[in-house]
Every structure is written in structure tokens, then in C-alpha cells.
């Protein structure tokens, strides 16, 4: 392991600043979180994109959200095949062990993963079609969404596909038996959001109209 280096100093300084202020002022709360364990009310699944910052948007504190992030906020279909399913593992733990009350899928504008899927599906990104492309094979999950938006005008297609990444995940969540059972027992609610990074906008999926509407 001699390839491992010390943490960059700017992060060390930031850590010491946090320990001296936020942690010190709230140490009773942090100890309580440690003693009592986590009881997050909601699970959030968002994109890895550094501009998507759900804890800032909702002013969330330690212990509030159980967060999973991956490229393009995708949930794969239920597939108990013995392979390594990181996203499915987090959903299973959140629903069966933590018993979260909500799962919130958060998509966003200018999503590079969604654009990659779009380019792959329109023949503009052959490198993503390689079997060895982890991003390409991950973005295969969004192909059903592309099929639903492919006939839209080009200037609307990317944004529509960003929202499809939320809808595909909401559909796939219901293929997990423990998710479906919890939803049908009214012990879990599912929510779809899309955030506009530049405008600071937030839209939620409205099942009645089948559209995303501003909050
Ligand atoms: Zn993204």
C-alpha cells in the first residue's frame, strides 16, 4: 500500500476547522447519534455530480438523510443474481433495516451521465458501447427512458431524458419486492425530483399530470 499519500493540507485544515466549531458546538448531538444509532427519515438517491448538493438544498443535518449517489441517479431493476449490486444493497438496507419513510430520487440539469446515454443511443459515442465501459453499461439502464423521448425535438430531448432518469428509477424501485410491499402497506412513499443547477429550481413529478412541476 505504499501508493497511499497523506491527505492534502487544505482538507486537513478544513477538518480541524469543522472539529473546532461545528462539532464542538454540537458534540452532545453527535454523541447521541453515535449512542442511539442512525434513524434517517428519508433515503436520497442523487447523481454523483458535485453540483448536486441535496444536504444544502434541504438544509439537512447529520443523521437526517441516508444518501446514495451514482452516475445519473439510477436504480437498476431487481436482479438477485449474486453479483455486486451497490445501489440495490443501499435500497435493501434503507428499506428493510432502517425502514425509511421516503425514498427521494433527485435528477438534475446538465447531467453528463444522461448526455452520455443520449450520445450512445444516437450513435455519437461508440466508446460507451464497448463492453469494457463501466459508464456505458451503467447507462444501459436508461435506454428504456431514451426510447420514450427519442422522437422529441433535439433541443428538448436531453432535458426530457434527465427527467426519464428519475422515472426509470422510480419504476425500477417497484420491482424490488420489499419496496413494493412497503409502498403497498403505506409504510414508504416514493418521490421524484429534478433540480435546475443554474436557476436553483426544483421540480417534482406529479403523477396526475405525468409531468414535473415546479415546487
Ligand atoms: Zn448527473
Amino acid at each position: 500500500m505504499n501508493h497511499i499519500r497523506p491527505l492534502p493540507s487544505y482538507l486537513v485544515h478544513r477538518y480541524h476547522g469543522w472539529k473546532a466549531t461545528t462539532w464542538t458546538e454540537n458534540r452532545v448531538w453527535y454523541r447521541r447519534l453515535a449512542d442511539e444509532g442512525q434513524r434517517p427519515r428519508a433515503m436520497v438517491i442523487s447523481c454523483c455530480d458535485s453540483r448536486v448538493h441535496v444536504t444544502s438544498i434541504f438544509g439537512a443535518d447529520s443523521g437526517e438523510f441516508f444518501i446514495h449517489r451514482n452516475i445519473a441517479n439510477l436504480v437498476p431493476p431487481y436482479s438477485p443474481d449474486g453479483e455486486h449490486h451497490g445501489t440495490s444493497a443501499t435500497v435493501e438496507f434503507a428499506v428493510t433495516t432502517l425502514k425509511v419513510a421516503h425514498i427521494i430520487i433527485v435528477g438534475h440539469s446538465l447531467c453528463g451521465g444522461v448526455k452520455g446515454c443520449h450520445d450512445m443511443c444516437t450513435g455519437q459515442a461508440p466508446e460507451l458501447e464497448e463492453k469494457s465501459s463501466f459508464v456505458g453499461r451503467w447507462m444501459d439502464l436508461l435506454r428504456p427512458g431514451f426510447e420514450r423521448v427519442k422522437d422529441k425535438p433535439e433541443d428538448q430531448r436531453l432535458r426530457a431524458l434527465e427527467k426519464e432518469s428519475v422515472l426509470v428509477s422510480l419504476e425500477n424501485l417497484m420491482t424490488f419486492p420489499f419496496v413494493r410491499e412497503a409502498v403497498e402497506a403505506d409504510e414508504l412513499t416514493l418521490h421524484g425530483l429534478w433540480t435546475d443547477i443554474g436557476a436553483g429550481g426544483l421540480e417534482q413529478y406529479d403523477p396526475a399530470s405525468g409531468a414535473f412541476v415546479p415546487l
Side-chain angles (χ1 to χ4, degrees), residues 33 36-42 62-66 98-101:
L33 285 175
E36 297 179 2
Q38 62 166 332
R39 294 186 68 191
R41 198 191 296 191
S62 291
E64 283 199 67
F65 286 162
F66 187 70
L98 296 175
K99 299 189 187 302
V100 294

Side-chain angles (χ1 to χ4, degrees), residues 45 68 70-76 87 138-139 141-142 165 168-169:
I45 300 175
H68 179 71
N70 63 41
I71 291 185
N73 42 270
L74 290 169
V75 175
T87 299
W138 180 249
M139 294 314 304
L141 292 170
L142 188 53
S165 76
V168 164
S169 292

Side-chain angles (χ1 to χ4, degrees), residues 51-66:
R51 300 165 296 179
V52 179
H53 214 263
V54 292
T55 50
S56 291
I57 291 174
F58 293 115
D61 221 331
S62 291
E64 283 199 67
F65 286 162
F66 187 70

Side-chain angles (χ1 to χ4, degrees), residues 12-185:
V12 174
H13 289 316
R14 285 191 201 177
Y15 161 70
H16 287 303
W18 171 83
K19 187 73 190 289
T21 56
T22 306
W23 184 85
T24 301
E25 290 156 12
N26 297 283
R27 59 191 179 279
V28 174
W29 176 246
Y30 283 104
R31 285 200 197 113
R32 200 168 120 194
L33 285 175
D35 291 344
E36 297 179 2
Q38 62 166 332
R39 294 186 68 191
R41 198 191 296 191
M43 175 184 197
V44 175
I45 300 175
S46 66
C47 184
C48 301
D49 191 305
S50 58
R51 300 165 296 179
V52 179
H53 214 263
V54 292
T55 50
S56 291
I57 291 174
F58 293 115
D61 221 331
S62 291
E64 283 199 67
F65 286 162
F66 187 70
I67 301 176
H68 179 71
R69 302 179 73 157
N70 63 41
I71 291 185
N73 42 270
L74 290 169
V75 175
Y78 180 65
S79 179
D81 55 12
E83 295 299 323
H84 306 299
H85 293 289
T87 299
S88 303
T90 57
V91 170
E92 179 184 70
F93 187 72
V95 174
T96 66
T97 301
L98 296 175
K99 299 189 187 302
V100 294
H102 321 287
I103 298 179
I104 306 166
I105 309 285
V106 185
H108 70 101
S109 61
L110 309 170
C111 182
V114 168
K115 181 162 191 319
C117 178
H118 174 273
D119 292 351
M120 178 173 71
C121 292
T122 52
Q124 302 174 70
E127 71 280 8
L128 291 178
E129 294 178 48
E130 300 286 338
K131 191 180 178 190
S132 59
S133 169
F134 290 114
V135 172
R137 302 295 60 73
W138 180 249
M139 294 314 304
D140 281 340
L141 292 170
L142 188 53
R143 284 181 184 271
F146 178 79
E147 287 302 307
R148 294 196 287 246
V149 304
K150 65 182 180 186
D151 296 327
K152 285 185 181 292
E154 202 172 338
D155 60 332
Q156 298 172 23
R157 215 187 291 144
L158 264 181
R159 183 146 292 187
L161 192 56
E162 287 164 3
K163 293 175 179 178
E164 283 295 331
S165 76
V166 176
L167 301 181
V168 164
S169 292
L170 289 170
E171 289 163 1
N172 286 345
L173 273 174
M174 288 298 275
T175 67
F176 288 74
F178 42 84
V179 172
R180 175 172 286 280
E181 284 166 19
V183 168
E184 290 176 350

